[in-house]
Amino acid sequence: MSNTSTIFTEEHNIQTPCKLFVVSDPQVLLIQPSARHEEKNDGVRREIDLIAQASPTGFAMVFFDCVEWARALMPWADDAVSRDAEVGRHAPDTLRFIEHTLLPWLRERFGALPCIIGGYSLGGLFALWAARNTDAFAAVAAASPSLWINGWGEYAAAHPILPPKATTQHSTLNIPHSESRSSAIHLSLGDREEHCRNQRMKRIGDCVRAEHALLCQQLSPTAVTLRWHEGGHFGAEAERTAEAFAWCIEQLVHNFQQPQNNNK
């Protein structure tokens, strides 16, 4: 089932339209920023269906509307993305909205479930940035993330992914209070993205490879995957993002259902 809800931010009382989808008995929460390109060709519903087909684990997923895509998601300014003076100033506001309004709203309804953040393009970039600034997320689904922006490699190296905060056991995933685990990270890229004409954007292949190597070093090789898809940046967005979320769900199921040996 699905419904559309409006959430008010605590600080600014700004209306933020959110689409909520619930599949089976939720054991995990999924959060994704959305814009017009997610809505294209019924992409949101197609993404939900594809995640449900790929994973037997129930989930609740919310898409929150980013009217000003670059303003909401860019962690800092880069003229190659936009010359809007507001771009690069509001990613912390978006993260505050997720942490202090959206997540409490979800957990009030579904319990203290683990949360996966993800997105496509700037949404994937934001998800990787957000996981370096809060311990609220158990996994990151970054599909074709825009890691070619100026300064990303240096920032990522200096700011490791934060280990997820333990959640209470309202889920059959049985995430323990006392055991710290690293996040699971799914990266993906189209195999033609690095062959575009734009000199900045064609760096994306090397940037994503570097991010994968860095995350393997910061976390572990088993906590990170890099998936190459056929095609360029535009096309199959719902399919790529759904695959990323489904992989993250299964990683949580695998990791958190391992036998615990705490009574030594």
Side-chain angles (χ1 to χ4, degrees), residues 133-252:
N133 286 272
T134 180
D135 59 3
F137 307 119
V140 177
S144 290
S146 303
L147 303 184
W148 52 265
I149 67 168
N150 274 335
W152 176 260
E154 295 81 2
Y155 179 86
H159 299 81
I161 298 285
L162 297 178
K165 182 180 181 180
T167 57
T168 53
Q169 297 183 21
H170 287 241
S171 165
T172 57
L173 298 183
N174 294 324
I175 300 174
H177 290 274
S178 59
E179 185 170 345
S180 175
R181 295 182 182 270
S182 64
S183 298
I185 314 290
H186 186 289
L187 303 170
S188 69
L189 198 67
D191 59 10
R192 294 206 300 270
E193 292 194 50
E194 62 185 332
H195 301 296
C196 66
R197 293 182 179 180
N198 185 293
Q199 293 301 307
R200 285 284 306 282
M201 294 181 182
K202 71 186 305 179
R203 298 170 46 224
I204 187 59
D206 290 339
C207 293
V208 168
R209 291 183 190 94
E211 177 77 355
H212 178 252
L214 176 66
L215 290 172
C216 287
Q217 179 184 357
Q218 291 177 341
L219 302 174
S220 78
T222 59
V224 188
T225 192
L226 171 55
R227 172 83 161 88
W228 291 88
H229 296 278
E230 292 185 1
H233 187 68
F234 301 102
E237 297 173 18
E239 289 75 11
R240 296 183 191 182
T241 313
E243 180 179 306
F245 273 112
W247 183 88
C248 288
I249 292 172
E250 292 313 300
Q251 289 301 300
L252 296 189

Side-chain angles (χ1 to χ4, degrees), residues 21-41:
F21 297 82
V22 182
V23 175
S24 188
D25 179 24
Q27 303 300 313
V28 63
L29 305 174
L30 313 182
I31 292 178
Q32 180 176 335
S34 65
R36 282 176 294 179
H37 58 277
E38 260 88 12
E39 300 287 348
K40 185 173 58 179
N41 299 322

Side-chain angles (χ1 to χ4, degrees), residues 78-128:
D78 187 328
D79 286 350
V81 177
S82 173
R83 295 183 182 273
D84 182 345
E86 292 297 313
V87 169
R89 299 176 56 185
H90 299 289
D93 297 331
T94 303
L95 182 55
R96 262 194 306 275
F97 165 70
I98 294 171
E99 280 197 275
H100 300 297
T101 301
L102 187 53
L103 262 176
W105 181 80
L106 285 167
R107 285 177 169 153
E108 180 181 351
R109 286 155 178 75
F110 303 108
L113 302 178
C115 180
I116 302 170
I117 188 167
Y120 194 89
S121 192
L122 287 186
L125 169 71
F126 173 82
L128 289 165

